[in-house]
């Protein structure tokens, strides 16, 4: 199927190139023909206006225009002068299209092709004041000769375009297959992820409903149901958020000055209890600075990065949040001393539901969507996202946002917030 699609695509490209070439050549030839006819008409007018067509003058010196063939024809079609051939061997020209039209309308033109010479003869005829006709002619390459001369160029161009198009086609097919695989994986993952907490809720609820749970186990079962429901709710909220981000165009993001340092302070304060629960030290470093972006997205990015760093850490570990201006950017860096990410997983950690350690994710209650949300939000704000990690040594995620220099508006916002 793929080979057939590729052949059809190649045939379509070649046909398109050939048709385009034929069209361009035809347009160029049409323009070329008009230019020659205008040139011939100008020559005829000059000869008529300068008096060079007087019979006595012509018999003495002739008409010295080697680049044109000049023919003088009586109104009955008899040729009495031609600067290219002997008039004695010429037949009556009264039936020539350009001569007929000149006698009827004052001027006429025509193009005739010579198969022998593979050239076209351009003729322009004008009726003079004495009733005779002056015909000016010029030979030029025919359109077929022009087509033949452009064949090597057409072939080379078609080859280059075909190679480029096939490369693009192959890349598109790879992207389509990759996206299809990712959608398939996403569907399988989401089905599994949703099924797990639902199965737990259903199982514990059924035991309680059938009075099969001992009285001392009811509280524990209720707690498990609550935890599974909370995990399910978090997952649904993350899926909805990702769907919103997928549907959002970049110009729909409302950009404004965002006090990133202040948001980082709020986030660290909010997650202190979670850090203490996991026996992890959470600290903030850097200096006050402002970024250009979305406040809501910046808050979500901070929360997801810090929450992940706490969840995937080790007892006695640390999470360091750094916010500071770096040249024309504002840097947000979240560094932890946790389990780290092996090299082979680093290109995939921002995919939906992708987990380096699945058992650890279930223990911590993560949805597997946090970093996917971070990646989408960073991209929506035109930020640069970088990951550095080593298995067993920890992870550092850095995001560079656009720096918003302090202005009167920002100072006013600071005062209002204080």
């Amino acid at each position: 199927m793929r080979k057939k699609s590729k052949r059809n695509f190649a045939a379509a490209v070649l046909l398109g190139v050939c048709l385009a070439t034929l069209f361009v050549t035809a347009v160029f030839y049409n323009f070329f023909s008009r230019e020659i006819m205008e040139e011939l008409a100008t020559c005829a007018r000059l000869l008529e206006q300068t008096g060079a067509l007087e019979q006595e003058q012509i018999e003495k010196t002739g008409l010295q225009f080697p680049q044109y063939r000049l023919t003088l024809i009586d109104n009955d079609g008899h040729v009495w002068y031609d600067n290219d051939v002997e008039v004695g061997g010429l037949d009556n020209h009264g039936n020539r299209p350009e001569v007929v039209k000149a006698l009827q309308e004052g001027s006429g033109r025509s193009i005739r092709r010579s198969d022998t010479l593979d050239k076209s003869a351009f003729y322009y005829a004008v009726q003079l004041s004495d009733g005779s006709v002056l015909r000016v002619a010029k030979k030029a390459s025919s359109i077929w000769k022009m087509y033949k001369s452009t064949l090597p160029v057409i072939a080379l161009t078609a080859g280059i375009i075909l190679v480029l198009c096939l490369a693009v086609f192959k890349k598109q097919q790879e992207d389509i297959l990759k996206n299809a695989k990712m959608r398939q994986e996403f569907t399988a993952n989401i089905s599994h992820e949703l099924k797990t907490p639902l199965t737990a809720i259903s199982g514990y609820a059924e035991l309680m409903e059938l009075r099969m749970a001992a009285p001392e186990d009811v509280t524990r079962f209720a707690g498990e149901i609550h935890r599974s429901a909370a995990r399910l709710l978090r997952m649904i909220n993350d899926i909805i958020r990702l769907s919103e981000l997928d549907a959002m165009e970049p110009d729909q993001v409302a950009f404004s000055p965002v006090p990133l340092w202040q948001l980082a302070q709020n986030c660290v304060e909010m997650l202190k209890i979670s850090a203490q629960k996991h026996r992890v030290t959470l600290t903030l470093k850097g200096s006050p600075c402002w970024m250009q972006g979305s406040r809501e997205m910046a808050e979500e990015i901070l929360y997801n990065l810090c929450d992940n760093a706490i969840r995937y850490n080790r007892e006695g570990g640390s999470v360091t949040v750094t916010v500071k201006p770096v040249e024309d950017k504002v840097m947000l860096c979240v560094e932890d001393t946790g389990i780290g990410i092996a090299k082979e997983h680093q290109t995939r950690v921002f995919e939906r539901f992708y987990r380096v350690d699945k058992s650890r994710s279930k223990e911590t209650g993560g949805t597997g969507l946090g970093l996917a949300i971070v990646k989408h939000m960073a991209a929506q704000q035109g930020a640069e996202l970088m990951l550095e990690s080593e298995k067993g040594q920890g992870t550092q995620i850095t995001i560079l946002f656009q720096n918003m220099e302090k202005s009167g508006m920002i100072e006013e916002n600071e005062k209002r917030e204080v």
Side-chain angles (χ1 to χ4, degrees):
M1 184 67 182
R2 289 182 65 187
K3 288 183 178 179
K4 185 177 179 182
S5 298
K6 191 176 286 188
R7 283 198 302 269
N8 291 340
F9 182 75
V13 169
L14 285 173
L15 180 62
V17 171
C18 292
L19 290 176
T21 305
L22 292 172
F23 175 75
V24 170
T25 307
V27 170
F28 172 76
Y29 189 76
N30 185 49
F31 174 78
F32 174 69
S33 300
R34 287 203 308 269
E35 288 294 308
I36 289 182
M37 284 299 183
E38 288 298 323
E39 179 186 338
L40 297 179
T42 302
C43 177
R45 285 195 297 270
L46 286 173
L47 288 170
E48 187 179 11
Q49 291 169 5
T50 56
L53 300 176
E54 295 293 334
Q55 188 169 356
E56 292 182 4
Q57 182 70 23
I58 292 173
E59 290 174 351
K60 286 181 181 179
T61 61
L63 295 174
Q64 304 301 318
F65 285 89
Q67 69 271 39
Y68 303 111
R69 180 183 175 184
L70 305 176
T71 308
L72 288 167
I73 307 161
D74 287 334
N75 54 13
D76 60 359
H78 171 70
V79 179
W80 65 270
Y81 177 79
D82 192 299
N83 70 341
D84 189 50
V85 297
E86 289 292 332
V87 295
L90 296 175
D91 57 2
N92 190 285
H93 279 33
N95 61 348
R96 303 296 168 89
E98 67 277 5
V99 176
V100 172
K101 203 163 186 181
L103 291 171
Q104 292 174 350
E105 301 177 11
S107 66
R109 59 186 67 191
S110 67
I111 303 173
R112 290 192 286 278
R113 181 171 177 267
S114 170
D115 293 327
T116 306
L117 299 175
D118 200 14
K119 287 190 174 184
S120 291
F122 293 80
Y123 296 97
Y124 179 82
V126 60
Q127 189 174 33
L128 304 176
S129 56
D130 61 0
S132 62
V133 173
L134 167 65
R135 189 182 71 177
V136 185
K138 184 176 184 179
K139 288 181 181 178
S141 297
S142 69
I143 189 170
W144 304 112
K145 188 173 182 180
M146 293 180 72
Y147 279 137
K148 290 176 186 175
S149 65
T150 57
L151 277 178
V153 178
I154 294 172
L156 179 62
T157 305
I160 293 171
I161 293 175
L162 182 61
V163 170
L164 292 174
C165 288
L166 286 175
V168 172
F169 181 73
K170 184 180 178 183
K171 181 69 170 61
Q172 287 177 339
Q173 277 199 322
E174 289 174 353
D175 289 343
I176 289 169
L177 291 172
K178 182 181 176 182
N179 289 334
K181 185 180 179 182
M182 287 178 66
R183 282 196 299 271
Q184 189 177 14
E185 288 179 356
F186 177 71
T187 303
N189 286 333
I190 196 172
S191 300
H192 174 74
E193 295 294 340
L194 292 173
K195 186 178 178 181
T196 302
L198 283 172
T199 301
I201 291 170
S202 176
Y204 287 123
E206 185 178 8
L207 289 173
M208 293 169 66
E209 181 186 20
L210 298 175
R211 301 181 186 277
M212 295 175 65
E216 61 271 19
D217 290 331
V218 170
T219 303
R220 181 170 64 85
F221 286 0
E224 291 294 336
I225 290 172
H226 180 264
R227 278 190 289 275
S228 294
R231 182 185 171 199
L232 188 62
L233 186 61
R234 284 196 303 271
M235 197 179 306
I236 291 170
N237 287 334
D238 284 350
I239 291 169
I240 292 171
R241 188 64 176 128
L242 272 171
S243 298
E244 291 172 348
L245 291 170
D246 283 337
M248 187 181 294
E249 296 294 334
D251 57 0
Q252 291 179 305
V253 180
F255 277 47
S256 62
V258 177
L260 189 59
W261 170 263
Q262 185 186 45
L263 298 188
Q265 282 181 317
N266 296 341
C267 182
V268 168
E269 189 64 32
M270 180 171 54
L271 288 172
K272 266 188 177 178
I273 295 175
S274 176
Q276 289 169 2
K277 180 182 173 183
H278 289 84
R279 297 180 183 177
V280 172
T281 305
L282 180 60
T283 56
L284 173 64
K285 293 181 179 180
S287 59
C289 54
W290 292 72
M291 58 165 271
Q292 174 80 348
S294 164
R295 184 183 183 114
E296 180 187 354
M297 288 186 179
E299 287 175 334
E300 288 191 58
I301 287 172
L302 274 162
Y303 181 85
N304 281 325
L305 289 179
C306 293
D307 187 53
N308 260 24
I310 292 169
R311 288 175 185 272
Y312 295 94
N313 219 310
R314 61 182 83 249
E315 278 194 26
S318 65
V319 175
T320 304
V321 182
T322 305
V323 176
K324 64 179 180 179
V326 178
E327 297 178 355
D328 62 336
K329 304 286 184 182
V330 168
M331 183 186 79
L332 166 62
C333 177
V334 178
E335 185 176 6
D336 65 62
T337 57
I339 60 174
I341 304 168
K343 294 289 183 186
E344 62 268 21
H345 297 293
Q346 290 182 15
T347 57
R348 299 197 64 189
V349 291
F350 293 100
E351 293 179 12
R352 302 170 190 196
F353 292 118
Y354 189 83
R355 293 185 176 96
V356 176
D357 187 342
K358 294 184 179 180
S359 60
R360 178 88 179 218
S361 296
K362 290 179 181 178
E363 289 174 9
T364 60
T367 65
L369 297 170
L371 289 181
I373 291 174
V374 168
K375 180 183 177 181
H376 272 66
M377 289 186 171
Q380 288 281 8
Q381 298 178 92
E384 184 181 353
L385 177 64
M386 293 166 286
L387 169 70
E388 291 181 25
S389 185
E390 190 174 338
K391 190 173 182 179
Q393 299 298 316
T395 301
Q396 177 181 295
I397 296 179
T398 305
I399 304 179
L400 297 176
F401 297 97
Q402 291 297 319
N403 193 352
M404 170 58 74
E405 294 181 358
K406 289 194 173 185
S407 63
M409 179 181 69
I410 295 177
E411 290 172 1
E412 186 180 338
N413 286 339
E414 282 182 324
K415 290 176 184 176
R416 213 180 289 138
E417 287 168 2
V418 171

